Amino acid sequence: MKNNKLFLSLVTSLLFVTVGCNDEFLETEPTQFITQEQLEAASVNNPDLIRGSVAGIYSLMFETGTGGTTGHNDFGQKGIDIWTDMLSGDMALSQNTYNWYRNHVDYQASTDFTRNECYIPWRYYYRIIRSTNIVIDALGGNDATPNTDEKKWLMGQAKALRAYAYFYLAQLYTREYNATQEVLPIYTASDQSAGRPKSTGAEVYAVIIDDLNDAISLLSNFNRTNKTQINQYVAKGLLAYAYGAMGNNDQVFTLTQDIITNGGFTLTTQAQLLGGFNDVNTASWMWGVDLTTNQGLDLISWWGQMDLYTYSYQWAGDRKSIDRALWDSMPATDVRKGQFTAASGYRPVNKFYDPARVIGGQRVITTDYLYMRVDEFYLLHAEAAAKTGRETQAKAILTQLLTSRNSNIGYISTLTGAALTDEIYKQTKIELWGEGKSYLAMKRNRATINRGSNHLFQAGVAVPYNDVKLLFKIPQAEILNNIYIQDQN
């Protein structure tokens, strides 16, 4: 667990030297995948091959090194979740020994396009896109309607995963939704041998919206075998986030109401709020992955960065804590305040933990990954209701969520206007702390962050949501190798 800054710099340099002016600069296809041509030829008689390829895409979400480096902060979606939680200001780097996040929280990485922190998300999400395009092409292409339920479900999952990747790229690499600004290259076919120019925000979000609407339709009768797979309600959740980023709150209101009413998921209970967030079978979890010894994850993982009860940086000297001001804002009557303790330096020792509760104990990761839970959509529904003038509904749904969390919520009924939307935003930050959602909320609510006293870097510095320090730069590898892209967003 030594500091590998010099090694990472060397790796980065080698990456930039070895990429060429072809599809390699996107590092797009997982080695376990067969080619699109092989898939096309085989899919007629053997859908298992496509099913395996879709499963391979899901594995990219939690495998190490999927962002193209050997860094201990490069492990798929949950690695990016830590970065975004730190950028939002809700997660404090309160002790720094190994320097995996120092450049990030001090805004050095976000102002320097040569840093790995800029390269990792770009490479990871475009790998997802490339891989989904292979599957979609093998099933007949973007406009095709597969002729069996099995193939429809695979197409639906691939389109939802492609939309997921474009959504996060649009969030991370742009200041905010701007319909006319050119922001990202779009690839919707498996042939990505040539670079593409940037498309506008409207064009990128059109792909996201179209893909998710297609996915919802294709997955309408899909009964998934495990929560790693995207079903129609996960796709609706992703669509709600996309519409929220665009400011289309009426659509958010409708989608979140559907998820709450018809999705079949129940709110996280008071006991589960203090139960470790470690089991994908939890009834409130909509999307996650059941990690076992077969995946072989260890120190290089979300748990290896976040959990005191895992052999981890959280245990050994890189402390990730709740922002002290956010913790202070919670009343003693709120059970979620107990997820963190002053004695532990405000680390989430009672929110995320290996059930054995042996400090530094879990070596091979078997505690599960959470990507999405239904509680998010109670909060997003309340937010959309308040922003569209439905304040009675907003207060009702917020009260429903908070009843099992805080014994003193009578004040909710008195809130109106900005006070109501501010309270919903605050509750979103508290409820979803450490789950990778506060960055999205910060942008939707156009918030200004002001880090509390327990941040080692930039404490007390006010930074608005659209400041360049809060987004990722298009990486040097893309600028050098894509002739169509020469500037930042």
Side-chain angles (χ1 to χ4, degrees):
M1 295 171 61
K2 62 183 180 181
N3 184 335
N4 284 324
K5 288 175 64 178
L6 292 177
F7 177 69
L8 279 178
S9 297
L10 176 60
V11 170
T12 304
S13 300
L14 289 171
L15 284 168
F16 293 155
V17 169
T18 57
V19 292
C21 296
N22 54 39
D23 61 339
E24 291 182 0
F25 75 92
L26 287 175
E27 295 285 356
T28 48
E29 186 175 350
T31 56
Q32 72 267 33
F33 283 25
I34 64 175
T35 67
Q36 180 262 327
E37 290 79 9
Q38 288 174 314
L39 274 181
E40 276 191 13
S43 64
V44 174
N45 298 315
N46 190 1
D48 285 346
L49 291 174
I50 299 181
R51 191 183 306 117
S53 291
V54 172
I57 300 171
Y58 286 122
S59 71
L60 288 177
M61 294 183 66
F62 61 81
E63 288 179 344
T64 61
T66 52
T69 77
T70 58
H72 290 200
N73 52 9
D74 181 0
F75 43 86
Q77 180 60 45
K78 298 304 290 181
I80 293 164
D81 284 350
I82 294 176
W83 278 336
T84 58
D85 280 339
M86 287 180 167
L87 281 180
S88 76
D90 292 345
M91 183 181 290
L93 184 65
S94 58
Q95 181 176 320
N96 177 56
T97 303
Y98 299 97
N99 280 335
W100 288 111
Y101 295 95
R102 191 246 189 256
N103 292 330
H104 188 69
V105 296
D106 202 22
Y107 300 134
Q108 294 182 36
S110 56
T111 55
D112 181 356
F113 78 145
T114 69
R115 298 275 187 178
N116 274 346
E117 290 91 341
C118 295
Y119 173 72
I120 288 170
W122 188 273
R123 193 258 191 175
Y124 163 68
Y125 288 117
Y126 274 112
R127 276 189 82 182
I128 296 283
I129 289 164
R130 164 70 170 182
S131 303
T132 55
N133 284 338
I134 290 173
V135 170
I136 291 165
D137 279 359
L139 290 168
N142 291 294
D143 299 325
T145 300
N147 57 9
T148 69
D149 280 346
E150 171 81 1
K151 292 179 182 179
K152 287 178 183 177
W153 301 335
L154 293 168
M155 176 75 90
Q157 291 175 75
K159 286 195 170 185
L161 283 162
R162 184 170 67 181
Y164 142 81
Y166 275 122
F167 171 71
Y168 272 93
L169 284 168
Q171 287 289 287
L172 299 180
Y173 290 92
T174 67
R175 299 188 191 200
E176 57 191 320
Y177 176 70
N178 184 327
T180 60
Q181 181 188 5
E182 295 180 342
V183 291
L184 296 169
I186 294 174
Y187 302 88
T188 55
S190 55
D191 181 8
Q192 295 177 191
S193 58
R196 298 283 193 279
K198 294 179 185 177
S199 295
T200 66
E203 290 167 333
V204 171
Y205 272 85
V207 171
I208 296 168
I209 301 301
D210 287 347
D211 273 355
L212 289 170
N213 278 320
D214 285 350
I216 291 166
S217 176
L218 290 163
L219 297 171
S220 62
N221 63 341
F222 175 52
N223 293 312
R224 60 186 176 178
T225 57
N226 60 74
K227 287 187 181 179
T228 301
Q229 300 167 323
I230 292 176
N231 67 6
Q232 64 166 316
Y233 290 104
V234 173
K236 287 177 179 180
L238 292 169
L239 184 57
Y241 276 118
Y243 277 132
M246 299 171 72
N248 295 341
N249 288 300
D250 281 318
Q251 290 92 333
V252 176
F253 181 86
T254 300
L255 284 161
T256 51
Q257 181 66 68
D258 184 22
I259 294 168
I260 292 167
T261 304
N262 301 313
F265 307 99
T266 58
L267 280 170
T268 304
T269 66
Q270 187 174 105
Q272 289 164 346
L273 290 168
L274 299 173
F277 283 78
N278 50 39
D279 185 357
V280 75
N281 295 310
T282 304
S284 61
W285 287 29
M286 295 174 60
W287 190 22
V289 58
D290 180 12
L291 293 176
T292 69
T293 55
N294 291 334
Q295 280 85 34
L297 297 185
D298 47 37
L299 175 65
I300 308 176
S301 65
W302 186 87
W303 291 96
Q305 287 289 352
M306 291 296 299
D307 177 29
L308 179 66
Y309 300 100
T310 293
Y311 182 75
S312 68
Y313 289 99
Q314 182 76 292
W315 157 65
D318 278 0
R319 289 189 178 182
K320 293 89 175 173
S321 306
I322 188 172
D323 175 85
R324 178 61 191 274
L326 183 60
W327 189 82
D328 286 343
S329 74
M330 284 188 275
T333 54
D334 193 327
V335 67
R336 297 168 301 178
K337 191 161 191 166
Q339 294 173 333
F340 316 86
T341 66
S344 71
Y346 305 98
R347 285 177 286 179
V349 294
N350 292 324
K351 181 170 184 180
F352 305 116
Y353 55 81
D354 171 52
R357 303 278 269 189
V358 175
I359 293 176
Q362 180 179 213
R363 298 298 293 262
V364 178
I365 305 302
T366 57
T367 41
D368 298 337
Y369 275 175
L370 168 64
Y371 300 140
M372 181 184 289
R373 61 183 170 110
V374 75
D375 313 73
E376 302 169 33
F377 300 106
Y378 281 76
L379 288 157
L380 192 54
H381 186 67
E383 179 186 309
K387 288 178 178 178
T388 56
R390 301 173 173 100
E391 291 194 347
T392 300
Q393 293 99 313
K395 288 184 276 191
I397 202 74
L398 185 61
T399 298
Q400 187 178 348
L401 174 77
L402 292 180
T403 295
S404 62
R405 286 144 172 79
N406 186 355
S407 60
N408 183 22
I409 57 172
Y411 70 95
I412 297 293
S413 64
T414 69
L415 299 176
T416 60
L420 177 58
T421 55
D422 288 348
E423 181 66 20
I424 295 167
Y425 176 48
K426 173 187 165 183
Q427 294 300 331
T428 300
K429 289 153 62 74
I430 292 170
E431 178 72 24
L432 303 177
W433 188 93
E435 298 176 43
K437 299 299 170 20
S438 59
Y439 182 83
L440 309 180
M442 175 191 71
K443 288 198 164 186
R444 287 196 313 272
N445 290 280
R446 303 190 172 193
T448 294
I449 68 167
N450 198 324
R451 294 178 177 175
S453 59
N454 62 332
H455 291 256
L456 287 180
F457 304 97
Q458 305 286 335
V461 178
V463 182
Y465 75 98
N466 58 356
D467 192 292
V468 293
K469 293 193 290 290
L470 298 183
L471 68 135
F472 292 72
K473 290 284 188 293
I474 296 174
Q476 184 181 46
E478 184 76 14
I479 299 289
L480 289 176
N481 293 288
N482 186 341
I483 62 172
Y484 299 105
I485 298 180
Q486 302 300 322
D487 62 341
Q488 296 293 336
N489 291 334

